[in-house]
Structures are given as C-alpha cells and as structure tokens.
Amino acid sequence: MSVNTVQFQTDADRMQQDGDRREFLRTALNGYILTRSGQQSKYGDYEAARTTAAAIKWQAIENLGEHLERFADNLEARGVHVHWCSDAAEARAAIVGVLKKHDAKAIVKSKCMTTEEIHLNELLEKQGYDVVESDLGEYIVQLRREAPYHFVFPAMHLKRGEIRELFERELGDAPTDDPEALTMIARQALRQKYLAADVGISGANFGVAETGMISITENEGNARLTTAMPKVHIALMGIEKVIPRFADLAVMLPMLALAGTGQRLTGYNSQFAGPRQEGECDGPEEMHVVLLDNHRTELLAHPEERDALRCIRCGACLNVCPVFKNVGGHTYGTTYQGPIGSVITPHLRGMKDWKHLSNASSLCGACTETCPVRIDLHHHLLRNRHSAAESSGGWAERMQMRGFALVMRQPWLYGIASSLGRWAHTLSRPIHGTRLDPVYAWRKTRDFPAPAPKTFQQLWRERKKDQPPRH
C-alpha cells in the first residue's frame, strides 16, 4: 500500500469522525447547487450550450499542436517571452530565471492551481523570496500553511471564527466575525504587497490562439492588480488551456462562471496580450508566458481518456460528488481534488502511487451529469481502475477480481455464494466491526444491509410454482 493511499485512508477516517465539519461542507455545497440551478434555468437551451462548449474544447485538444504554435507566435509578435516547459522542474527554472534577471525580492500572485501543481510557492519561499497570494481564499490558506481545499473555493472548509482567530494571530488585527470587516483586513494587508511587488505571477483560464491572449476570470479584481502593478508579469498556463478563437470566450466565460460559482458571469474577465505598448497608460513593462506540459501530452496520447484535457477547472464535479462532501479536499492529498483530480492525477503523477483515487467514487455519475464540457468522468474512473489492476495490481487483488468474475459468470456458483453470504452475515454478528471481522475495513464505520428473507431465485421459483398452468 503506497504512502499516498495510507494518507488518504487516515485523513478520510479523521473526516468521518468530524460530523460538524462535514455538515458545514454539505450546507455550503447545497447552497451552490441551488444558486447554480437558478442561473442555469435562465439559459434558453443549456444543454446546447454544454454541447458547444464541449465541441470548442474538443477541437482545441484534437489540434493542440497547431493552436499552441499559433498562440505562441501571436504572443511573441507583441513582445511576450514564451517558455516551453516539459515538466515542473523546467517551469520552476524558467520562472526563477526571470526573477533573478530582474533581481526580484517581492512577488504577488493571483490564484493559479498550476503553480500549486509545480509547488512554486514552496520553492520561492525556500529561496528567500517574499511571496503572497492575493486571492482572499488563497491568502487565508497561505497564512494557515495549508494547501487549497478546493480549487475554486480554497478556504471553503473554514468558518468565520477560524478566520477571525487566524487574522488576529497572523495580522494582529482586532477580532471580528463580520465577513466584510474580515475582507477589509485582508485587503489592507494586501494593498501594501501590491505596491512593493517586483513581479506578478498569474495563471490563465484560457489562452486564445487566434489573438495571442490569455484570459483570466476572477471576482475580486486581485488578478488585475497582480498583472498590472508590478513591472514584470509571468503567466503560468497548462497547454490544454488553449482555445481556437476569441469568439469562443462568449461561450466559455459564462459557462465557467455558471459551473464554477453559479454566477451568470464573474466580476472581472480580463484578456492580456502582452506588455505595455507605446502610448498605453498601464500594464507591465515585460511579460512572460510559461507553457507547461507536465505529462499532459501523455494523457493526450491516451485514446480513451484524452478528453479529460477538456477540463476548464470549474470545480463543478467536486461540488456534486458525494465522496468529496464526506472526505473533504485535503484528504485527496493532491493539487486537483474530486472526480476530475481522481481521473487526471494518476496520469500526471503516476498510476502506481495514485491509483487509489480511482476508488474514491461511488460511480453515481453526478460528476458526468454536471460537467459543463461533457467529460465522461465516472467512466474514466472505471477505466483508471482497469488500468491500475492491469499495470500495478498485486497478485491478491488480481485473484480477487478473477474469483469475482468467475462467480458472476456461473449461476450455480452465484447461488452457493449467496447462501454462504447469508450464513456468514448471521454468524459474524458477534465480531461485527471488530479487528476479528474479515471485512473490518468496511464495517468499522458502516454496516451491510441485512439480507432479504428470500433470494430473487427463490421468489422466482415460488412465483412460477403458484402460477396456474397455461392451456
């Protein structure tokens, strides 16, 4: 069992015992679902919009090389420095190279999960840079030395009182539970960081190949300050974020807002096409775009799961996932949580160490049903389970699956197994949930439903026996 599997099970057990936190989480996500439903009903034909969004992303992925080259050419034509990075180490080196070139000391960041993916903050802090997250949720979890809990709502697991105590301890401010007052405390601290920053680092929600622009979606205006106030702007972007045309944003931006936060459109949607040009009054003097592969092209080459690259990181699949609601975001132990994280993480970070995430799903299909770009998430999780069993499953797991397949294919064996199961359920009651229980891992926190008094086969035979003969 890998270290990551043990960590997942340990954290999931801890979360199971924290009923108050789980209830808080479910209440928050139920509110999201209601808000989203209200906005979704305002679409003339929401399913048609989903189909269009999926087609845009599918076209982008199917012609990824062509769109990326066009995107980079257009960026460079406006004076942007483009860095092609095959993995996290190359991306970190490219960013640190820019920082050293400008003798930077202070860095302000807007929300970017790709920087979490390459562990950029940890590296920069070790090298002595003053790095601060400017998104409020990200700033809160940074002060707590935590990873984001959810890649859209990074501090959704925290209550007002916990944030009040955090600000009182870390910022030395007066205690208050008022959300607006807490926001103003953070704002006051962050304003000084913007003014002192040498470099601003952002992500990108989309890269437009046609125009050579990056598009950033946000609600706080912090990304605009991050990209405009420092003299240098660095944008880190996964290569799958490219879309073909500027007009595609007319579909993708509302879809991202609706699926991500239940909004018709987010507060700020900005497009950046290069450093400040002659005659322009604002913008950075220098701009860099770092394009990150980090195993995405390996996923692109996968014939059955490449459509996972259509993901726009809206987080909608997390919000409806019954497993996420019960185990929470930190339990996943990886940058991308929930169903989409369970699909792509084994491909990005190794099937052997992350195959357990494929089992963190009830396969209910709610994730697939809610995905705005129609990624077949729950079937991808099934395929990952198959790949894990084929490539890295132990002999015990293989024997169990072969035995299960044999029983399910032979009705007489299934009948015997059903009878034995009924007897075992009755006889095992004295050791239920104890260490002596053969299925302790399952029954320590839950129970099997009691077997029905009669099996389906028994009921079928009785029904046929009671029916009068046909003439």
Side-chain angles (χ1 to χ4, degrees):
M1 187 179 294
S2 73
V3 173
N4 300 313
T5 306
V6 174
Q7 173 266 315
F8 185 96
Q9 292 180 344
T10 303
D11 288 354
D13 283 346
R14 186 181 302 120
M15 188 69 179
Q16 286 302 306
Q17 296 167 22
D18 191 350
D20 185 47
R21 185 75 63 184
R22 286 191 291 130
E23 182 60 31
F24 178 71
L25 194 62
R26 282 197 292 266
T27 301
L29 292 176
N30 288 342
Y32 154 84
I33 290 170
L34 285 174
T35 304
R36 174 179 167 166
S37 298
Q39 289 296 338
Q40 190 173 309
S41 66
K42 296 175 181 174
Y43 271 75
D45 189 340
Y46 176 67
E47 293 305 319
R50 281 181 78 198
T51 301
T52 303
I56 291 169
K57 287 294 293 184
W58 192 241
Q59 184 190 359
I61 296 303
E62 287 292 290
N63 304 281
L64 188 58
E66 174 189 330
H67 293 312
L68 280 172
E69 285 187 10
R70 191 180 183 195
F71 176 60
D73 289 345
N74 284 330
L75 282 170
E76 288 173 339
R78 289 182 62 87
V80 178
H81 302 269
V82 178
H83 306 259
W84 297 84
C85 300
S86 63
D87 56 26
E90 286 189 11
R92 289 194 297 261
I95 292 170
V96 170
V98 176
L99 299 180
K100 288 183 175 176
K101 173 187 168 187
H102 291 275
D103 194 25
K105 300 289 189 300
I107 300 157
V108 64
K109 286 182 67 225
S110 65
K111 191 169 183 300
C112 175
M113 292 309 294
T114 317
T115 61
E116 298 286 342
E117 179 184 328
I118 66 171
H119 304 289
L120 184 63
N121 280 17
E122 294 92 324
L123 173 75
L124 297 181
E125 286 172 356
K126 282 181 183 175
Q127 296 192 1
Y129 293 101
D130 178 19
V131 186
V132 63
E133 294 285 349
S134 60
D135 174 87
L136 179 58
E138 292 277 350
Y139 182 56
I140 290 169
V141 294
Q142 185 186 27
L143 289 176
R144 286 173 59 91
R145 313 287 190 271
E146 282 183 351
Y149 199 79
H150 180 297
F151 52 78
V152 174
F153 311 118
M156 69 174 300
H157 58 304
L158 299 175
K159 301 177 183 178
R160 294 181 195 177
E162 292 170 302
I163 297 172
R164 177 200 65 209
E165 292 170 5
L166 176 72
F167 282 4
E168 193 177 356
R169 183 175 67 250
E170 298 291 334
L171 303 179
D173 218 299
T176 174
D177 279 343
D178 179 55
E180 188 173 344
L182 289 168
T183 303
M184 293 308 295
I185 291 170
R187 183 180 182 183
Q188 188 175 11
L190 287 171
R191 288 286 167 172
Q192 299 305 315
K193 298 292 185 181
Y194 288 120
L195 295 172
D198 302 302
V199 173
I201 298 178
S202 75
N205 294 102
F206 302 102
V208 183
E210 179 184 47
T211 55
M213 292 176 172
I214 63 167
S215 178
I216 297 179
T217 291
E218 53 159 338
N219 275 311
E220 300 172 15
N222 61 299
R224 285 189 174 181
L225 291 172
T226 298
T227 54
M229 293 191 72
K231 291 183 178 179
V232 181
H233 172 204
I234 304 172
L236 175 63
M237 174 181 140
I239 56 174
E240 82 284 9
K241 296 289 186 70
V242 71
I243 55 175
R245 298 164 295 271
F246 185 74
D248 295 333
L249 291 175
V251 176
M252 304 308 296
L253 293 180
M255 189 60 75
L256 178 59
L258 174 68
T261 56
Q263 294 173 277
R264 183 181 296 178
L265 202 61
T266 51
Y268 300 88
N269 288 284
S270 308
Q271 284 75 47
F272 303 91
R276 183 189 307 177
Q277 306 293 305
E278 187 174 347
E280 293 181 344
C281 61
D282 62 2
E285 295 175 5
E286 190 169 305
M287 181 174 173
H288 298 255
V289 171
V290 180
L291 295 171
L292 178 68
D293 179 347
N294 209 24
H295 304 289
R296 286 166 172 79
T297 48
E298 293 174 24
L299 184 55
L300 180 66
H302 198 295
E304 294 181 325
E305 299 199 45
R306 63 193 307 179
D307 76 324
L309 291 172
R310 293 206 305 250
C311 177
I312 57 174
R313 304 288 189 270
C314 65
C317 58
L318 282 68
N319 301 340
V320 299
C321 176
V323 174
F324 180 86
K325 290 178 182 178
N326 280 286
V327 304
H330 287 157
T331 298
Y332 289 84
T334 185
T335 305
Y336 305 108
Q337 312 90 353
I340 185 62
S342 298
V343 169
I344 65 175
T345 300
H347 295 282
L348 300 182
R349 303 182 66 176
M351 183 63 76
K352 183 179 179 182
D353 292 332
W354 297 94
K355 64 178 182 178
H356 63 282
L357 292 181
S358 306
N359 296 312
S361 169
S362 64
L363 300 180
C364 64
C367 49
T368 301
E369 189 176 335
T370 200
C371 177
V373 288
R374 297 191 184 280
I375 301 174
D376 192 4
L377 287 161
H378 69 295
H379 281 108
H380 285 327
L381 289 168
L382 265 178
R383 293 184 189 105
N384 273 3
R385 291 182 189 183
H386 177 79
S387 299
E390 288 288 318
S391 63
S392 56
W395 69 269
E397 185 178 345
R398 287 198 295 272
M399 293 305 294
Q400 287 172 10
M401 296 309 295
R402 287 176 184 173
F404 177 77
L406 178 65
V407 170
M408 296 304 289
R409 286 171 180 159
Q410 302 295 332
W412 64 275
L413 267 179
Y414 180 80
I416 293 174
S418 296
S419 299
L420 290 175
R422 296 163 69 83
W423 279 103
H425 183 81
T426 303
L427 295 174
S428 66
R429 281 176 184 162
I431 58 171
H432 180 284
T434 69
R435 289 285 182 181
L436 298 175
D437 191 339
V439 285
Y440 165 73
W442 175 270
R443 296 210 294 192
K444 65 180 178 180
T445 56
R446 58 184 78 85
D447 196 5
F448 285 125
K454 295 180 181 178
T455 67
F456 174 80
Q457 290 175 329
Q458 287 173 324
L459 291 171
W460 187 255
R461 282 195 294 269
E462 289 177 5
R463 176 177 174 174
K464 291 183 71 175
K465 185 178 178 182
D466 294 341
Q467 284 180 339
R470 294 183 177 179
H471 299 287

